């Protein structure tokens, strides 16, 4: 009589999304990943134009934005490349059923969008795809370590959250994540008129409004209404919102001196 061999369940627990992002963050040996400001906004002389962030927001591509940020976290040294199975990225992003073809397909499409935006370049490494960072301005230029004009995005985005079961990257909506990155590029008590969002960052006023309101509801942002002299206003006054990030993303400890011009 031949005994049937039973399939043994693997010992231990499978890695969770939290385990996976913790491992990615730990492997970088840093507490934050750098992001050049040209990803948000690009200046040429007196002209200001939006950076690649605008395309993520207009396309509603939260998955692609988080995947890009994971790539910047993981690829922390030369040759600035990463090569992990698509199921690992899917699990890190907390996609449903990460080891299925559907989840892996979502990851593959997100990588393709990053390549189309000239933020990464794809190659093969055995059976895995290898992705190498390109410069954050979307120019297709080779990536180098930022030395000036960059934002440090704390790994608290991956490793912290308001409750044990959820991290910030899992909770923040795309408008909230976009406003967080913009806020990280500013000092404390900064001004950002939402109606200037399209000019400054290629992000609509409605998106910025939803972004800062959401961060305020998450207790990550202080919003202060400030009155200032406006000679051409009916009341002689006008008002602006000023913003300061709260822990774990702020405050910076240095107050912005930029003020709205009277109008």
């Amino acid at each position: 009589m031949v005994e049937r061999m039973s399939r043994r369940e693997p010992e231990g627990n499978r890695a969770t999304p939290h385990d996976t992002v913790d491992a990615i963050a730990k492997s970088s040996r840093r507490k934050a990943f750098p992001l050049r400001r040209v990803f948000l906004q690009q200046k040429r002389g007196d002209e200001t134009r939006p950076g690649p962030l605008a395309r993520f927001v207009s396309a509603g591509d939260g998955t692609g934005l988080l995947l890009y940020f994971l790539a910047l976290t993981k690829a922390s040294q030369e040759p600035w490349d990463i090569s992990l199975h698509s199921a690992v990225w899917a699990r890190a992003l907390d996609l449903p059923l990460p080891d299925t073809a559907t989840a892996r397909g979502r990851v593959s499409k997100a990588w393709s969008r990053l390549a189309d935006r000239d933020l990464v370049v794809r190659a093969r490494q055995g059976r895995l795809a290898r992705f190498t960072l390109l410069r954050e301005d979307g120019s297709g230029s080779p990536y180098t370590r930022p030395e000036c004009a960059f934002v440090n995005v704390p790994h608290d985005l991956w490793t912290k959250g308001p409750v044990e079961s959820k991290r910030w990257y899992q909770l923040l909506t795309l408008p909230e994540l976009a406003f967080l990155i913009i806020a990280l590029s500013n000092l404390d008590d900064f001004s950002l008129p939402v109606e200037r969002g399209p000019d400054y960052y290629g992000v609509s006023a409605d998106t910025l409004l939803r972004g800062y309101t959401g961060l305020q509801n998450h207790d990550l942002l202080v919003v202060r209404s400030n009155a200032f002299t406006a000679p051409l206003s009916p009341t002689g006054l006008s008002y602006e919102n000023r913003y300061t990030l709260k822990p774990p993303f702020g405050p910076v400890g240095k107050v912005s001196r930029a003020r709205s011009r009277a109008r």
Side-chain angles (χ1 to χ4, degrees):
M1 182 176 178
V2 179
E3 294 185 3
R4 293 184 178 180
M5 295 183 63
S6 60
R7 183 178 179 182
R8 295 183 59 188
E9 289 296 319
E11 295 181 2
N13 298 320
R14 293 182 183 273
T16 67
H18 293 176
D19 294 331
T20 305
V21 294
D22 285 347
I24 290 173
K26 185 177 181 180
S27 69
S28 74
R29 300 180 181 179
R30 300 180 299 193
K31 294 183 178 180
F33 67 86
L35 178 68
R36 283 183 173 86
R37 293 174 184 268
V38 289
F39 180 73
L40 310 175
Q41 184 184 77
Q42 300 177 8
K43 295 182 179 180
R44 292 183 179 178
D46 295 333
E47 180 186 358
T48 298
R49 64 177 184 178
L53 174 66
R55 291 189 63 185
F56 288 91
V57 176
S58 63
D61 190 11
T63 298
L65 185 59
L66 286 174
L67 182 61
Y68 181 52
F69 287 172
L70 280 173
L72 289 169
T73 301
K74 177 65 173 167
S76 59
Q77 57 187 354
E78 292 188 71
W80 316 113
D81 63 353
I82 53 266
S83 182
L84 292 173
H85 195 283
S86 57
V88 176
W89 295 114
R91 185 169 61 248
L93 292 167
D94 197 16
L95 299 183
L97 303 174
D99 56 351
T100 63
T102 299
R104 295 196 299 271
R106 285 185 62 182
V107 169
S108 179
K109 290 178 180 178
W111 279 122
S112 294
R113 294 193 296 272
L114 297 184
D116 290 343
R117 294 166 188 164
D118 288 324
L119 295 171
V120 300
V121 61
R122 185 199 303 257
R124 298 299 303 180
Q125 182 171 307
R127 299 178 62 183
L128 298 177
R130 184 178 76 250
F131 299 93
T132 302
L133 296 178
L134 297 174
R135 191 175 174 88
E136 298 99 317
D137 58 4
S139 66
S141 300
Y143 182 85
T144 57
R145 190 187 303 278
E147 295 183 354
C148 62
F150 66 92
V151 178
N152 272 318
V153 182
H155 285 175
D156 292 327
L157 176 66
W158 311 121
T159 62
K160 299 288 181 64
V163 293
E164 186 176 349
S165 60
K166 290 292 183 181
R167 307 283 179 87
W168 287 120
Y169 81 97
Q170 296 169 302
L171 289 173
L172 297 182
T173 65
L174 181 55
E176 291 163 1
L177 182 59
F179 198 95
L180 172 64
I181 300 303
I182 291 170
L184 286 168
S185 71
N186 285 276
L187 300 177
D188 300 335
D189 201 42
F190 72 94
S191 173
L192 175 57
V194 294
E195 65 271 14
R196 301 303 303 273
D199 297 331
Y200 291 170
Y201 301 106
V203 176
S204 71
D206 180 65
T207 296
L208 290 180
L209 176 62
R210 286 185 285 131
Y212 82 70
T213 301
L215 292 182
Q216 192 177 22
N217 290 339
H218 286 304
D219 199 29
L220 291 175
L221 188 73
V222 173
V223 182
R224 182 175 69 86
S225 181
N226 182 56
F228 62 94
T229 301
L232 300 183
S233 132
T235 63
L237 289 173
S238 191
Y239 299 86
E240 64 176 354
N241 283 341
R242 302 192 71 88
Y243 309 95
T244 301
L245 285 170
K246 298 178 68 175
F249 301 106
V252 175
K254 187 175 181 180
V255 175
S256 171
R257 295 182 179 277
R259 301 291 171 183
S260 292
R261 289 176 291 182
R263 53 185 183 272

